[in-house]
Amino acid sequence: MDKIKRIKELTDILNAASKAYYMDDAEIMSNFEYDKLYDELVLLEKETGTVLANSPTIKVGYEVVSELPKEAHPAPMLSLDKTKDVDALKSWLGDKEGILSWKMDGLTVVLTYENGELFKAVTRGNGEIGEVITANARTFRNIPRSISYKGSLTIRGEAVIKYSDFEKINAEIPDIDSKYKNPRNLCSGSVRQLNSEITAKRNVNFFAFSMVDPDDTSLVDTFMDSCSKRYEYLTSLGFDVVEYKPVNAENIADTVKYFSDKISTNDFPSDGLVLTYEDTKYGRSLGRTAKFPRDSIAFKWQDEEAVTHLREIEWSASRTGLINPVAIFDPVELEGTSVSRASVHNISILKELSLGIGDEITVYKANMIIPQISGNVTKSGPAPIPDSCPVCGGVTEIRKENSSESLYCTNPDCPAKHIKLFTHFVERNAMNIDGISEATLERFVDLGLIHKLPDIYHLSEHREEIIQLEGFGVKSYDNMMNSIEESRKVELPNFIYALGILNVGLSTAKLIAKSFDYDIERIMAADVEELSAIDQVGPMIAKSIRDYFDDTDKAEELKTLLEEVDIMLPDLSNVMNDMEGLTFVITGSLENYTNRDELKAEIEARGGKVAGSVSAKTSYLINNDINSASSKNKKAKSLGVPIISEADYLERFKAN
């Protein structure tokens, strides 16, 4: 087996075994087998001089900087000329041989290696000046930290985040406004982080697409005048290169089709292809224009259009009060999928397209993904603009912002504006209802299925409507309803937290529940003085709680909610209070607990407290990296607060 390929295979196997052992409490291989594979990896890394950034043989040190330094590129990194015509590609190539490869949609990064080690990484920036991101690049999932070539080597490539990782990261963000719009936006923010530990968690991948001529002339003379041989050499050094195919005038059309057929199954974002002359010496001899190099050209997909008829304008409300028009049309096939709706974005576009019901329109998928309306043949509109909100019936108004007109609901109590309350209610530390994302809640509110929190427990009344929704189905519906039913049994602190009372987090909810012996009626009747007497509550939080229960509408909603749920009382018979009087601060990653919340819950269950920052009142700082130079470690040392590892904690406070 190829040694570089084996290095990558061993790295993945060993990392998976480590994750299973330390994070999932599962053993997928014996210690003997792990050590054997680890030794094999060490030997291969020594033989080849290649060490991947995520190799288990190295310990990644993260770096935090106050800003990203700027640096000028030795030569401008020009954009490529573009075409959407395959015949134009064929004409451009002429009788020459070429290499056709993916044009990946991420962030271009330039890597420089000196003496076999990654020396510097700089973003493309504006093409002339980029940002230095060396510490972040060292955490990219698949780049070599060390290579066998010991001269100076500069490699250009694209940093990308795969769709699968993008979806996982977005799924962990509860606020829909905070979710990333696409993998490229996420990648750009990840690569340019000031804290490289954040970059490491984003699973950024690097795909090389070109190499600057090395100073070593013997290397150039050997094979550097061939684009494909450059790719082969980069692969031998341990780099992943963009997928490429050799082409000529005869097979270029078929090769373009080969790539286009793969788009729907690719796990990485792309926005076209790049055609480069195979003979790099010839390519260099052509020079460049003021804007473009002449050795390469980009190919953008020709947007597939279809003609259809507009059947309806659906008005979709959001939490900001904005009401967007959405075009509903007869289903058409585009890029292999059926499409029947497209956002019109605002009133200005609605008027510009003069969209009227029944109009003959042309639609396409931008970048083969996002449905858009490209034109209107009959132009009978514009369609009427509603004077009332589709969700609450409140009065609407047209506002002009940045030269565009948009429609807004003026009702401050519109349910669409309370999406965050619904999202908070279903989150893990509240009612813990899986299968209802913020986007799903927006759709339910938009359709009038949810007006108040108790309506969530009556979604079963709308089964037929829900299973017909795009992205839903019987299985998704059943999973959601099962989770809703399971949430009916809830502990009091989680229920109080789920109500969304101003300034009341889960920790405060636990203190309140414990102080009133887990009796919701006593909590609802408590005055500000009683609530203020609870440790860490105080007058401001006490007033927020009292104001909530004194609000007639909220009190009525709470009464209805209590009829839907069964508040579970904790079993206090075996509760240990051996941590009473102790305050902990937890920082860094954990190995024996799923996350910090799990450890925090254990400490609080045993009478202890968990704070967010180190102070003179802190009893212990838990940090697996005891010797790190983090601000919390420094503060703990200056105050004489003991810093203990997770293992120390388990040893000292092991439950009997």
Side-chain angles (χ1 to χ4, degrees), residues 143-413:
I143 69 163
R145 292 280 292 272
S146 305
I147 59 176
S148 58
Y149 179 68
K150 301 307 177 186
S152 180
L153 194 63
T154 301
I155 299 153
R156 293 175 178 175
E158 199 80 356
V160 300
I161 288 180
K162 295 181 179 180
Y163 284 120
S164 53
D165 290 320
F166 168 75
E167 289 164 3
K168 288 176 186 174
I169 292 168
N170 253 1
E172 294 172 358
I173 302 174
D175 180 7
I176 196 168
D177 282 340
S178 299
K179 291 180 184 289
Y180 295 93
K181 297 195 184 325
N182 54 57
R184 189 189 187 284
N185 287 352
L186 174 57
C187 184
S188 178
S190 301
V191 169
R192 300 174 62 251
Q193 286 289 328
L194 298 179
N195 184 345
S196 63
E197 185 173 6
I198 297 174
T199 307
K201 293 177 180 177
R202 301 284 175 80
N203 277 351
V204 179
N205 282 261
F206 177 86
F207 292 90
F209 58 66
S210 71
M211 181 168 58
V212 177
D213 289 344
D215 295 332
D216 188 340
T217 55
S218 63
L219 198 61
V220 175
D221 293 340
T222 303
F223 56 81
M224 287 302 166
D225 285 340
S226 163
C227 182
S228 59
K229 287 183 178 178
R230 288 182 178 223
Y231 282 159
E232 290 168 7
Y233 182 63
L234 287 173
T235 302
S236 74
L237 293 177
F239 292 94
D240 287 337
V241 301
V242 291
E243 183 184 5
Y244 64 94
K245 294 284 183 182
V247 292
N248 54 37
E250 299 302 317
N251 69 1
I252 192 165
D254 290 338
T255 310
V256 169
K257 185 179 185 306
Y258 162 82
F259 280 105
S260 66
D261 288 344
K262 294 188 68 173
I263 289 178
S264 60
T265 57
N266 278 347
D267 194 24
F268 57 82
S270 66
D271 56 357
L273 302 171
V274 175
L275 177 61
T276 303
Y277 289 115
E278 161 67 357
D279 185 341
T280 56
K281 187 176 182 179
Y282 171 76
R284 285 195 304 273
S285 73
L286 299 176
R288 67 188 190 195
T289 68
K291 292 184 177 181
F292 311 115
R294 288 195 172 100
D295 66 339
S296 300
I297 186 171
F299 173 78
K300 294 284 190 175
W301 307 112
Q302 185 73 47
D303 298 316
E304 181 184 343
E305 286 191 326
V307 177
T308 184
H309 289 87
L310 182 67
R311 292 304 173 205
E312 179 187 354
I313 294 292
E314 182 182 279
W315 295 88
S316 178
S318 72
R319 77 173 61 81
T320 62
L322 177 66
I323 305 174
N324 278 327
V326 179
I328 311 298
F329 43 81
D330 291 337
V332 290
E333 288 289 318
L334 286 175
E335 313 295 352
T337 61
S338 179
V339 177
S340 60
R341 55 193 293 130
S343 174
V344 185
H345 301 297
N346 56 49
I347 291 175
S348 293
I349 295 176
L350 181 79
K351 291 179 177 178
E352 183 182 337
L353 289 168
S354 193
L355 291 173
I357 307 305
D359 277 348
E360 185 177 289
I361 59 174
T362 53
V363 295
Y364 72 103
K365 273 189 176 181
N367 281 335
M368 304 177 76
I369 297 173
I370 304 168
Q372 300 282 318
I373 297 176
S374 54
N376 185 357
V377 178
T378 48
K379 294 189 175 182
S380 70
I385 298 166
D387 54 12
S388 61
C389 173
V391 173
C392 69
V395 176
T396 61
E397 68 177 16
I398 298 175
R399 300 176 191 170
K400 193 165 187 178
E401 299 171 344
N402 299 322
S403 74
S404 294
E405 290 183 323
S406 298
L407 189 67
Y408 283 86
C409 172
T410 60
N411 176 16
D413 294 320

Side-chain angles (χ1 to χ4, degrees), residues 429-442:
N429 288 329
M431 300 305 290
N432 192 25
I433 302 176
D434 287 330
I436 307 186
S437 66
E438 191 159 345
T440 299
L441 285 166
E442 281 193 336

Side-chain angles (χ1 to χ4, degrees), residues 42-82:
V42 170
L43 184 62
L44 284 171
E45 289 178 342
K46 187 176 180 180
E47 287 179 3
T48 62
T50 297
V51 182
L52 299 181
N54 64 334
S55 171
T57 66
I58 60 174
K59 179 176 175 60
V60 177
Y62 299 117
E63 182 178 323
V64 178
V65 295
S66 58
E67 63 177 7
L68 295 175
K70 305 287 194 298
E71 182 172 301
H73 296 292
M77 296 182 65
L78 302 177
S79 299
L80 298 179
D81 198 3
K82 301 175 181 66

Side-chain angles (χ1 to χ4, degrees), residues 136 274 480 486 517 636 639:
N136 293 343
V274 175
M480 179 183 72
E486 289 173 3
D517 297 325
L639 295 173

